[in-house]
Amino acid sequence: MPCTIVVGGFYGDEGKGKVVSYLAWRDKPYAAARGGVGPNAGHTVVFEGRTYKLRQLPSAFVSKDTRLYIGAGVLIDPKVFLREVKETGCRGRIWIDGNCGVIEEKHIEEDRKSKHLSGRVGTTGTGCGPANAERALRVLKIAREVDTLREYITDVALVLNEALDSGYSILLEGTQGTFLSLYHTDHYPYCTSKDTTASAVCSDIGIGPRKVTDIILVFKAYTTRVGGGPLEGELPAEKAKEMGILEIATVTGRVRRAAPFNFKLAKRAIMLNSATQIAITNIDRMYPAAYGIKSYDALPKRAREFIEKVEDELKTPVTMISTGPSVEDMIDLREEKLS
Ligand code: GTP
Ligand code: IMP
Ligand code: MG
């Protein structure tokens, strides 16, 4: 598919990193770009026995020939960005837009000191909210003004639109989840500092909606949330632990609150994103016998019944089912379901 967007359907941490890295590894797109808020995100990629927790770089880095980009709407923390370039060995094939906003130490301090932000909203403390506030005031520094970022700067929107016009395929990665959107949450102010839907990813990168061919919405087989705000059907931590679904957050190390899969929210997420496909992750944590399985028929019966219920209720095909944290732990039904 020439232009595919991957976004989260619940409250972030659905496993977008896993899904994007699988797609890159399998399909080897010409280019991949990250949209979303910035280094508040933590995308976990488990590849060739190593675990990467990417806060800035596109998870598609696992495909060695794929060119990597970060769109103009994404905030850059130069320290985090440069550390990840080194860690992944991507220097020479990663570029950022000159218009990316820049997070400075003062934004991180403000985020962490603010009772409203870190106390009430429960932010990640990475400076994203205060930096986006300055962006709205038009006083925030942008990437082209920062010396250490100079060699990475390009016109991301132009490069990617030209790639699409030349018939190359590109993979776009969102961050956070639909219901952390600044606009599309029912729980304001318990949300992030920007929209997080597929439309926002287009705008972050500079690709018009007409060029998008596929929108893959990622859900976990259950729901998790970190930070403040309501979580319908929230399970006591003890119960979540017993069920094997108690998780620790990638960026902040906090415990992720957990609840059963929420069909009502999922339906709304399908609508808000115009999703064309669904990817379900962490099926093995709900149904341990699913771990590492690569074919649908080999899944335990209750896992298959869950997938059928998801398709039935959401009227959208489940084209990928992730059965473990590693890139290759995936049941890929795209050929079967889309032809
Ligand atoms: P944000 O942009 O921060 O929302 O992150 P994300 O959607 O990329 O998810 P994140 O990596 O923070 O969290 C997902 C967690 O689930 C990580 O620890 C992954 O390694 C893990 N994971 C993803 N898919 C699977 C799976 O199918 N099975 C298991 N067991 N773990 C998985
Ligand atoms: P901020 O984006 O750091 O301002 O945090 C605002 C809210 O969004 C808090 O509840 C965070 O826990 C949540 N949040 C932000 N980014 C992520 C993410 O990548 N995964 C999960 N939750 C996130
Ligand atoms: Mg995360």
Side-chain angles (χ1 to χ4, degrees):
M1 278 299 172
C3 182
T4 302
I5 299 184
V6 177
V7 275
F10 286 143
Y11 297 102
D13 307 320
E14 297 89 352
K16 294 173 291 294
K18 160 67 197 268
V19 171
V20 170
S21 57
Y22 168 77
L23 288 169
W25 175 71
R26 184 77 185 74
D27 300 349
K28 302 188 172 30
Y30 173 81
R34 187 148 155 168
V37 182
N40 50 349
H43 291 196
T44 311
V45 175
V46 182
F47 180 59
E48 292 177 341
R50 265 189 79 179
T51 300
Y52 301 85
K53 293 175 185 288
L54 300 174
R55 292 172 53 196
Q56 298 259 228
L57 257 61
S59 305
F61 85 91
V62 299
S63 163
K64 306 267 184 292
D65 294 323
T66 297
R67 292 156 170 75
L68 307 170
Y69 298 90
I70 299 179
V74 180
L75 292 164
I76 299 280
D77 179 329
K79 270 197 219 140
V80 178
F81 170 77
L82 294 168
R83 190 169 64 225
E84 290 184 2
V85 169
K86 207 166 165 194
E87 188 193 343
T88 55
C90 286
R91 193 169 175 195
R93 64 173 179 116
I94 166 94
W95 294 272
I96 66 180
D97 200 282
N99 288 335
C100 289
V102 172
I103 295 179
E104 295 177 79
E105 215 42 53
K106 62 177 180 181
H107 302 118
I108 297 173
E109 254 171 54
E110 190 182 335
D111 199 356
R112 291 181 183 173
K113 276 192 191 145
S114 158
K115 277 202 182 113
H116 174 67
L117 292 176
S118 74
R120 184 168 178 220
V121 178
T123 64
T124 57
T126 52
C128 292
N132 273 337
E134 278 196 3
R135 184 87 194 217
L137 292 172
R138 279 140 293 176
V139 294
L140 185 70
K141 197 180 266 185
I142 58 173
R144 74 162 74 96
E145 298 172 87
V146 178
D147 274 357
T148 54
L149 297 176
R150 188 160 289 166
E151 69 172 286
Y152 300 99
I153 305 285
T154 193
D155 181 342
V156 170
L158 180 68
V159 174
L160 291 180
N161 277 281
E162 282 182 352
L164 279 176
D165 293 345
S166 307
Y168 290 115
S169 57
I170 67 172
L171 180 56
L172 310 180
E173 174 177 8
T175 66
Q176 287 75 45
T178 298
F179 299 104
L180 286 178
S181 165
L182 181 59
Y183 309 133
H184 299 292
T185 174
D186 282 340
H187 308 305
Y188 183 85
Y190 300 105
C191 55
T192 190
S193 52
K194 239 175 69 175
D195 184 28
T196 52
T197 60
S199 312
V201 176
C202 283
S203 139
D204 288 338
I205 292 166
I207 285 176
R210 283 183 56 206
K211 284 198 175 156
V212 177
T213 38
D214 250 298
I215 297 165
I216 302 176
L217 196 55
V218 185
F219 296 112
K220 265 182 194 154
Y222 43 95
T223 316
T224 61
R225 176 166 202 171
V226 281
L231 175 64
E232 203 182 318
E234 183 168 356
L235 299 162
E238 274 306 303
K239 175 77 182 156
K241 197 171 176 187
E242 205 180 287
M243 291 169 70
I245 59 172
L246 195 74
E247 300 178 9
I248 303 297
T250 311
V251 175
T252 56
R254 294 180 288 188
V255 167
R256 288 180 182 154
R257 301 154 61 199
F261 191 91
N262 187 325
F263 284 94
K264 199 173 89 207
L265 276 186
K267 265 185 205 166
R268 190 164 172 85
I270 296 276
M271 175 188 85
L272 291 169
N273 292 286
S274 297
T276 59
Q277 299 176 43
I278 294 169
I280 298 286
T281 68
N282 287 273
I283 193 93
D284 55 296
R285 301 190 69 175
M286 286 299 283
Y287 311 98
Y291 183 76
I293 295 288
K294 302 256 176 14
S295 86
Y296 187 75
D297 293 341
L299 279 177
K301 185 160 174 280
R302 287 184 57 202
R304 280 184 277 130
E305 283 167 358
F306 168 71
I307 299 293
E308 278 155 31
K309 183 166 185 216
V310 168
E311 290 197 318
D312 217 44
E313 298 246 345
L314 306 184
K315 313 275 180 258
T316 309
V318 173
T319 54
M320 274 170 283
I321 305 166
S322 174
T323 58
S326 289
V327 164
E328 66 277 8
D329 296 330
M330 187 69 92
I331 301 173
D332 188 341
L333 302 166
R334 287 178 295 163
E335 237 171 71
E336 186 181 313
K337 295 270 174 81
L338 301 175
S339 53

